[in-house]
Amino acid sequence: MTTTIGVTQAITNLHEVHAAFHLSPTDDPDFFPEWRTDLPALTAAECALLDRLRDRYRYYQAGGAITESTVSLIIVAPLLELLGLYDPPYWIRGEKYIKIEIEDGDRRLEGLIDVLILREQVWLVVLETKRYGFSVMQALPQTLAYMMANPEQRPLFGLITTGEDYLFIKLDPQQRRYDWSDKFTLSLRRENQLYQVVQILKRLLNLA
C-alpha cells in the first residue's frame, strides 16, 4: 500500500532527497554555466526599478520580521511583472499542487510549489519563497523534490528566495544531477545584487 506524505515532512535534508530520488550534486563546472555566462544587459529603467525594490525591502526589513507573503508582495510579484511573466507566452501558477512518485513504490509525496513559471505546458522555473531569517540552503532539499515532479524530465531551474537572499538551482532529472549558484544577497551595503538575479532569470527564460 502506497502512503502519501507531505514533502515538508518526508524531505528535511539533502541526505533524504538524495536517497528518495537517487540525486547527487555535481562538481562539473560546465553543468550550470547559465548563471555565470552570457547574461543580458539591463536598461537604466530596469536598474532604477530594482534599486527601488531593494530600498523597499530594506524599509520593511527595518520594521521587523518579514513573512513569506510579504516577500511575495514586495519583491517577487514586481520581479515577475518586470520580466513580463504574467503575460503571453508565459503562465504563472501560484501554489501549484503536485504529487511525486518515489521509486520504491511505498511512498508518494505531495506538496505545493509557491510559484511555477511555465511556457505552454513546459516547466521553466520553480520559485520558492521563505521568510526573513530562513537560510536558502535549508530550502534546497524540498525544492529539489518539487523539481523532480517535472513531467517533461528535461533540465529545470529553480530559485529560492527570502527576499534578501537568492539561490539558483539546475536539475537534470534524467542524469539525476544538480548544482546551485553562488548566493546573491541584498545585505551588501553598496551593491544591488537584484541586478544579477534579474539578468540570470532573463538568461534562463531565453533558453525556452
Side-chain angles (χ1 to χ4, degrees):
M1 180 178 178
T2 301
T3 302
T4 300
I5 310 171
V7 171
T8 55
Q9 287 74 46
I11 305 295
T12 61
N13 57 61
L14 284 174
H15 292 306
E16 289 174 345
V17 78
H18 291 170
F21 298 104
H22 306 291
L23 293 176
S24 61
T26 178
D27 293 324
D28 180 359
D30 296 323
F31 179 80
F32 190 9
E34 292 89 352
W35 73 271
R36 304 187 308 271
T37 62
D38 299 324
L39 299 181
L42 299 179
T43 66
E46 289 171 331
C47 291
L49 174 59
L50 295 175
D51 287 341
R52 188 161 73 250
L53 293 181
R54 176 201 56 192
D55 294 343
R56 177 189 296 168
Y57 176 82
R58 289 176 174 173
Y59 168 77
Y60 279 87
Q61 181 189 44
I66 300 176
T67 66
E68 292 176 40
S69 59
T70 304
V71 169
S72 296
L73 288 170
I74 67 173
I75 291 285
V76 173
L79 288 179
L80 297 178
E81 180 68 44
L82 172 65
L83 292 163
L85 295 176
Y86 293 115
D87 304 311
Y90 302 106
W91 293 91
I92 295 291
R93 293 286 183 265
E95 296 194 332
K96 170 70 174 177
Y97 175 74
I98 53 97
K99 287 185 177 181
I100 317 165
E101 299 291 340
I102 303 296
E103 289 185 0
D104 60 22
D106 295 331
R107 293 180 299 162
R108 177 186 297 116
L109 304 186
E110 64 178 4
L112 294 173
I113 298 172
D114 288 342
V115 178
L116 177 61
I117 302 168
L118 305 96
R119 187 167 185 170
E120 297 179 344
Q121 298 302 313
V122 177
W123 291 23
L124 300 180
V125 178
V126 171
L127 196 157
E128 287 292 302
T129 59
K130 298 299 176 185
R131 67 184 182 277
Y132 171 75
F134 190 94
S135 168
V136 287
M137 286 300 295
Q138 286 180 261
L140 179 58
Q142 293 169 7
T143 305
L144 286 169
Y146 291 138
M147 293 168 73
M148 283 299 295
N150 176 20
E152 297 293 325
Q153 291 296 294
R154 57 178 283 175
L156 179 65
F157 299 95
L159 171 60
I160 306 168
T161 182
T162 62
E164 179 173 322
D165 297 330
Y166 298 79
L167 187 76
F168 288 91
I169 311 158
K170 181 178 181 179
L171 168 70
D172 187 327
Q174 291 189 332
Q175 297 183 21
R176 303 300 172 105
R177 298 194 301 163
Y178 70 93
D179 196 9
W180 62 89
S181 69
D182 289 349
K183 182 176 71 175
F184 298 91
T185 181
L186 298 189
S187 63
L188 298 179
R189 183 75 178 100
R190 294 174 179 81
E191 179 184 351
N192 185 357
Q193 291 199 330
L194 278 180
Y195 292 4
Q196 291 97 314
V197 169
V198 169
Q199 286 177 301
I200 294 168
L201 281 169
K202 285 188 172 189
R203 169 89 159 91
L204 301 182
L205 294 168
N206 286 336
L207 298 175

